[in-house]
Coordinates of all heavy atoms in Angstrom, one line a residue:
M1 N 0.8 -1.2 0.0 CA 0.0 0.0 0.0 C 0.9 1.2 0.0 O 1.8 1.4 0.8 CB -0.9 0.0 1.2 CG -1.7 1.2 1.4 SD -2.9 1.2 2.7 CE -2.0 1.6 4.1
K2 N 0.7 2.1 -0.9 CA 1.4 3.4 -1.0 C 0.6 4.5 -0.3 O -0.6 4.5 -0.5 CB 1.7 3.8 -2.4 CG 2.7 2.9 -3.1 CD 3.1 3.4 -4.4 CE 4.1 2.5 -5.0 NZ 4.7 3.1 -6.2
A3 N 1.2 5.3 0.5 CA 0.5 6.4 1.2 C 1.5 7.6 1.3 O 2.7 7.4 1.2 CB 0.1 5.9 2.5
H4 N 0.9 8.7 1.4 CA 1.8 9.9 1.6 C 1.0 10.8 2.6 O -0.2 10.7 2.7 CB 2.1 10.6 0.3 CG 1.0 11.3 -0.3 ND1 0.1 10.6 -1.2 CD2 0.5 12.6 -0.3 CE1 -0.8 11.5 -1.6 NE2 -0.6 12.6 -1.1
A5 N 1.8 11.7 3.2 CA 1.2 12.7 4.1 C 1.9 14.0 3.9 O 3.1 14.0 3.6 CB 1.3 12.2 5.5
V6 N 1.2 15.1 4.1 CA 1.8 16.4 4.0 C 1.5 17.1 5.3 O 0.4 17.1 5.7 CB 1.2 17.2 2.8 CG1 1.8 18.6 2.8 CG2 1.5 16.5 1.5
V7 N 2.6 17.6 5.9 CA 2.4 18.4 7.1 C 2.8 19.8 6.8 O 3.9 20.0 6.4 CB 3.3 17.8 8.3 CG1 3.2 18.6 9.5 CG2 2.9 16.3 8.6
A8 N 1.9 20.7 7.0 CA 2.2 22.1 6.8 C 3.1 22.6 7.9 O 2.8 22.4 9.1 CB 0.9 22.9 6.8
V9 N 4.1 23.3 7.5 CA 5.1 23.9 8.4 C 4.6 25.3 8.8 O 4.2 26.1 7.9 CB 6.5 24.0 7.8 CG1 7.4 24.7 8.7 CG2 6.9 22.6 7.4
P10 N 4.5 25.6 10.1 CA 4.1 27.0 10.5 C 5.0 28.0 9.9 O 6.2 27.8 9.6 CB 4.2 26.9 12.0 CG 4.3 25.5 12.4 CD 4.9 24.8 11.2
A11 N 4.4 29.2 9.7 CA 5.1 30.3 9.1 C 6.2 30.9 10.1 O 7.2 31.3 9.7 CB 4.2 31.4 8.7
S12 N 5.9 30.8 11.3 CA 6.8 31.3 12.3 C 7.9 30.2 12.7 O 7.6 29.1 12.9 CB 6.0 31.7 13.6 OG 6.6 31.3 14.8
M13 N 9.1 30.6 12.7 CA 10.2 29.7 13.1 C 10.0 29.2 14.5 O 10.3 28.0 14.8 CB 11.6 30.4 13.0 CG 12.1 30.5 11.6 SD 12.6 28.9 11.0 CE 12.6 29.3 9.2
A14 N 9.5 30.0 15.4 CA 9.3 29.6 16.8 C 8.3 28.5 16.9 O 8.5 27.5 17.6 CB 8.9 30.8 17.7
A15 N 7.2 28.6 16.1 CA 6.2 27.6 16.1 C 6.7 26.3 15.4 O 6.4 25.2 15.8 CB 4.9 28.1 15.3
Y16 N 7.5 26.5 14.4 CA 8.1 25.3 13.7 C 9.0 24.6 14.7 O 8.9 23.4 14.8 CB 9.0 25.8 12.5 CG 9.5 24.8 11.6 CD1 10.2 25.2 10.4 CD2 9.4 23.5 11.8 CE1 10.8 24.3 9.6 CE2 9.9 22.5 10.9 CZ 10.6 23.0 9.8 OH 11.2 22.1 8.9
A17 N 9.9 25.3 15.4 CA 10.8 24.7 16.4 C 10.0 23.9 17.5 O 10.3 22.8 17.9 CB 11.7 25.7 17.0
R18 N 8.9 24.6 18.0 CA 8.1 23.9 19.0 C 7.4 22.7 18.6 O 7.2 21.7 19.3 CB 7.0 24.9 19.6 CG 7.5 25.9 20.5 CD 6.4 26.7 21.2 NE 5.5 27.3 20.3 CZ 5.6 28.5 19.7 NH1 6.6 29.3 20.1 NH2 4.7 29.0 18.9
G19 N 7.0 22.6 17.3 CA 6.2 21.5 16.8 C 7.0 20.5 16.0 O 6.5 19.4 15.6
L20 N 8.3 20.7 15.9 CA 9.2 19.8 15.0 C 9.1 18.3 15.4 O 8.8 17.5 14.5 CB 10.6 20.3 15.0 CG 11.5 19.5 14.1 CD1 11.1 19.5 12.7 CD2 13.0 20.0 14.2
Y21 N 9.3 18.0 16.6 CA 9.3 16.6 17.0 C 7.9 16.0 16.9 O 7.8 14.8 16.5 CB 9.9 16.4 18.4 CG 11.4 16.5 18.4 CD1 12.0 17.5 19.2 CD2 12.2 15.7 17.6 CE1 13.4 17.7 19.2 CE2 13.6 15.9 17.6 CZ 14.2 16.9 18.4 OH 15.5 17.0 18.4
G22 N 6.9 16.8 17.1 CA 5.5 16.3 16.9 C 5.3 16.0 15.5 O 4.6 15.0 15.2
F23 N 5.8 16.9 14.6 CA 5.6 16.6 13.1 C 6.2 15.3 12.8 O 5.7 14.4 12.1 CB 6.2 17.7 12.3 CG 5.7 19.1 12.5 CD1 6.5 20.2 12.4 CD2 4.3 19.3 12.8 CE1 6.1 21.4 12.6 CE2 3.9 20.6 13.0 CZ 4.8 21.7 12.9
L24 N 7.5 15.1 13.3 CA 8.2 13.9 12.9 C 7.5 12.6 13.5 O 7.4 11.6 12.9 CB 9.7 14.0 13.4 CG 10.5 15.1 12.7 CD1 11.9 15.2 13.4 CD2 10.6 14.8 11.2
R25 N 7.1 12.7 14.7 CA 6.4 11.6 15.4 C 5.1 11.2 14.6 O 4.8 10.1 14.4 CB 6.0 11.9 16.8 CG 7.2 11.6 17.8 CD 6.7 11.7 19.2 NE 6.1 12.9 19.6 CZ 6.8 14.0 20.0 NH1 8.1 13.9 20.2 NH2 6.2 15.1 20.4
E26 N 4.4 12.3 14.2 CA 3.1 12.1 13.4 C 3.4 11.3 12.1 O 2.7 10.3 11.8 CB 2.5 13.4 13.1 CG 1.2 13.2 12.2 CD 0.6 14.6 11.8 OE1 0.9 15.6 12.4 OE2 -0.2 14.5 10.9
L27 N 4.4 11.7 11.4 CA 4.8 11.0 10.2 C 5.3 9.6 10.4 O 5.0 8.7 9.7 CB 5.9 11.8 9.4 CG 5.4 13.2 8.9 CD1 6.5 14.0 8.4 CD2 4.3 13.0 7.8
D28 N 6.0 9.4 11.5 CA 6.5 8.1 11.9 C 5.3 7.2 12.2 O 5.2 6.0 11.8 CB 7.4 8.2 13.1 CG 8.2 6.9 13.3 OD1 8.6 6.2 12.3 OD2 8.3 6.5 14.5
Q29 N 4.3 7.7 12.9 CA 3.1 6.9 13.3 C 2.3 6.6 12.1 O 1.6 5.6 12.0 CB 2.2 7.7 14.3 CG 2.8 7.8 15.7 CD 2.1 8.7 16.6 OE1 1.2 9.4 16.2 NE2 2.5 8.7 17.9
R30 N 2.3 7.4 11.0 CA 1.6 7.1 9.8 C 2.3 6.1 9.0 O 1.8 5.7 7.9 CB 1.4 8.4 9.0 CG 0.5 9.4 9.6 CD 0.3 10.6 8.7 NE -0.5 11.6 9.3 CZ -1.2 12.5 8.6 NH1 -1.1 12.5 7.2 NH2 -1.9 13.4 9.1
G31 N 3.5 5.7 9.4 CA 4.3 4.6 8.7 C 5.1 5.1 7.5 O 5.4 4.3 6.7
C32 N 5.4 6.4 7.5 CA 6.2 6.9 6.4 C 7.6 6.3 6.4 O 8.2 6.3 7.4 CB 6.3 8.5 6.5 SG 4.7 9.3 6.3
D33 N 8.0 5.9 5.3 CA 9.3 5.3 5.1 C 10.3 6.4 4.7 O 11.5 6.3 4.9 CB 9.4 4.3 4.0 CG 8.6 3.0 4.4 OD1 8.7 2.6 5.6 OD2 8.0 2.4 3.5
L34 N 9.8 7.5 4.2 CA 10.7 8.6 3.7 C 10.0 9.9 4.0 O 8.8 10.1 3.8 CB 10.8 8.5 2.2 CG 11.6 9.6 1.5 CD1 13.0 9.6 1.8 CD2 11.4 9.5 0.0
I35 N 10.8 10.8 4.6 CA 10.3 12.2 4.9 C 11.2 13.1 4.2 O 12.4 13.1 4.3 CB 10.3 12.4 6.4 CG1 9.4 11.5 7.2 CG2 9.9 13.9 6.7 CD1 9.5 11.5 8.7
V36 N 10.6 14.0 3.4 CA 11.3 15.0 2.7 C 11.0 16.4 3.4 O 9.9 16.7 3.5 CB 10.9 15.1 1.2 CG1 11.7 16.2 0.5 CG2 11.2 13.7 0.6
A37 N 12.1 17.1 3.8 CA 11.9 18.4 4.4 C 12.8 19.4 3.9 O 14.0 19.1 3.5 CB 12.1 18.2 5.9
S38 N 12.4 20.6 3.7 CA 13.2 21.7 3.3 C 13.9 22.3 4.5 O 13.2 22.6 5.5 CB 12.4 22.8 2.6 OG 11.8 22.3 1.4
L39 N 15.2 22.5 4.5 CA 15.9 23.1 5.6 C 15.6 24.6 5.6 O 15.7 25.2 4.5 CB 17.4 22.8 5.5 CG 17.8 21.4 5.7 CD1 19.3 21.2 5.6 CD2 17.4 20.9 7.1
P40 N 15.4 25.2 6.7 CA 15.3 26.6 6.8 C 16.6 27.3 6.6 O 17.7 26.6 6.7 CB 14.7 26.9 8.2 CG 15.2 25.7 9.0 CD 15.2 24.5 8.0
V41 N 16.6 28.6 6.5 CA 17.9 29.3 6.4 C 18.6 29.1 7.8 O 18.0 29.2 8.8 CB 17.6 30.8 6.2 CG1 18.9 31.6 6.3 CG2 16.9 31.1 4.9
E42 N 19.9 28.7 7.7 CA 20.6 28.4 8.9 C 21.2 29.6 9.6 O 22.4 29.8 9.7 CB 21.7 27.4 8.5 CG 21.1 26.0 8.0 CD 22.1 25.0 7.8 OE1 23.2 25.0 8.4 OE2 21.8 24.0 7.0
E43 N 20.2 30.4 10.1 CA 20.6 31.5 11.0 C 19.6 31.6 12.1 O 18.5 31.2 12.0 CB 20.3 32.8 10.2 CG 21.3 33.0 9.0 CD 20.9 34.3 8.2 OE1 19.9 34.9 8.5 OE2 21.7 34.7 7.4
G44 N 20.1 31.9 13.3 CA 19.3 32.0 14.5 C 18.6 30.7 14.8 O 19.1 29.6 14.8
L45 N 17.3 30.8 15.0 CA 16.4 29.6 15.3 C 16.4 28.6 14.1 O 16.3 27.4 14.3 CB 15.0 30.1 15.6 CG 14.1 29.1 16.3 CD1 14.8 28.4 17.5 CD2 12.8 29.7 16.7
G46 N 16.6 29.1 12.9 CA 16.6 28.3 11.7 C 17.8 27.3 11.8 O 17.7 26.2 11.3
L47 N 18.9 27.7 12.4 CA 20.1 26.9 12.6 C 19.8 25.7 13.5 O 20.1 24.6 13.2 CB 21.3 27.7 13.1 CG 22.6 26.9 13.3 CD1 23.1 26.4 12.0 CD2 23.6 27.9 14.0
A48 N 19.1 26.0 14.6 CA 18.7 24.9 15.5 C 17.7 23.9 14.8 O 17.8 22.7 15.0 CB 18.0 25.5 16.8
I49 N 16.8 24.4 14.1 CA 15.8 23.6 13.4 C 16.5 22.7 12.4 O 16.3 21.5 12.3 CB 14.7 24.4 12.7 CG1 13.8 25.1 13.8 CG2 13.8 23.5 11.8 CD1 12.9 26.2 13.2
A50 N 17.4 23.3 11.6 CA 18.2 22.5 10.6 C 19.0 21.4 11.3 O 19.1 20.3 10.8 CB 19.1 23.5 9.8
N51 N 19.6 21.8 12.4 CA 20.4 20.8 13.2 C 19.5 19.6 13.6 O 19.9 18.5 13.5 CB 21.1 21.5 14.4 CG 21.9 20.5 15.2 OD1 21.4 19.8 16.1 ND2 23.2 20.5 14.9
R52 N 18.3 19.9 14.2 CA 17.4 18.9 14.6 C 17.0 18.0 13.4 O 16.9 16.7 13.6 CB 16.2 19.5 15.3 CG 16.5 20.1 16.6 CD 15.3 20.7 17.2 NE 15.6 21.5 18.4 CZ 14.7 22.2 19.0 NH1 13.4 22.2 18.6 NH2 15.0 22.9 20.1
L53 N 16.7 18.6 12.3 CA 16.3 17.8 11.1 C 17.5 16.9 10.7 O 17.2 15.7 10.3 CB 15.9 18.7 10.0 CG 14.5 19.3 10.1 CD1 14.3 20.4 9.1 CD2 13.4 18.3 10.1
C54 N 18.7 17.4 10.7 CA 19.8 16.6 10.3 C 20.1 15.4 11.2 O 20.3 14.3 10.8 CB 21.1 17.5 10.1 SG 21.0 18.6 8.7
R55 N 19.9 15.7 12.5 CA 20.0 14.6 13.5 C 18.9 13.5 13.3 O 19.2 12.3 13.4 CB 19.9 15.1 14.9 CG 21.1 15.8 15.4 CD 20.8 16.2 16.8 NE 21.8 16.9 17.5 CZ 21.7 17.2 18.8 NH1 20.6 16.8 19.4 NH2 22.6 17.9 19.4
A56 N 17.7 14.0 13.0 CA 16.6 13.0 12.8 C 16.8 12.2 11.6 O 16.3 11.1 11.5 CB 15.3 13.8 12.7
A57 N 17.6 12.7 10.6 CA 17.8 12.0 9.4 C 18.9 11.0 9.5 O 19.1 10.2 8.6 CB 18.2 13.0 8.3
G58 N 19.5 10.9 10.6 CA 20.6 10.0 10.8 C 20.2 8.5 10.8 O 19.0 8.3 10.8
P59 N 21.1 7.6 10.8 CA 20.7 6.2 10.8 C 19.9 5.8 12.0 O 20.1 6.3 13.1 CB 22.1 5.5 10.8 CG 23.1 6.5 10.6 CD 22.5 7.8 10.9
R60 N 18.9 4.9 11.8 CA 18.1 4.5 12.9 C 18.3 3.0 13.1 O 18.5 2.3 12.2 CB 16.6 4.7 12.6 CG 16.3 6.2 12.3 CD 14.9 6.3 11.9 NE 14.1 6.5 13.1 CZ 12.8 6.7 13.1 NH1 12.1 6.6 12.0 NH2 12.1 6.8 14.2
P61 N 18.3 2.6 14.4 CA 18.5 1.1 14.6 C 17.3 0.3 14.0 O 16.2 0.8 13.9 CB 18.4 1.0 16.1 CG 17.9 2.3 16.6 CD 18.0 3.3 15.6
S62 N 17.7 -0.8 13.4 CA 16.7 -1.7 12.9 C 15.8 -2.3 14.0 O 16.3 -2.6 15.1 CB 17.3 -2.9 12.1 OG 18.1 -2.3 11.0
E63 N 14.5 -2.5 13.6 CA 13.6 -3.0 14.6 C 13.5 -4.5 14.4 O 13.6 -5.0 13.4 CB 12.3 -2.3 14.6 CG 12.4 -0.9 15.0 CD 11.1 -0.2 15.0 OE1 10.1 -0.8 15.4 OE2 11.0 1.0 14.7

């Protein structure tokens, strides 16, 4: 079964940062094998968000 999900990213960097792990958990719970995300400009809070996304993209242990 193929499925996809789209999660709208908030316009505010602060709201994006607060909701980031929630967005990732939601996509994981939906069974997404692949998540494509655009990195924000790596300045200020955008740098922290980009760092979190890059960490989340790292290898995951097999279940």
Side-chain angles (χ1 to χ4, degrees):
M1 174 172 86
K2 291 187 178 187
H4 70 275
V6 176
V7 176
V9 175
S12 138
M13 283 288 162
Y16 188 177
R18 281 192 305 272
L20 181 58
Y21 287 119
F23 302 144
L24 295 175
R25 277 193 300 274
E26 177 184 342
L27 294 170
D28 193 43
Q29 288 172 352
R30 290 183 184 204
C32 293
D33 292 324
L34 175 69
I35 297 172
V36 177
S38 297
L39 293 177
V41 174
E42 294 186 22
E43 295 177 349
L45 195 50
L47 180 61
I49 294 168
N51 181 276
R52 290 179 189 174
L53 285 170
C54 288
R55 284 183 182 187
R60 299 177 90 180
S62 298
E63 295 185 36

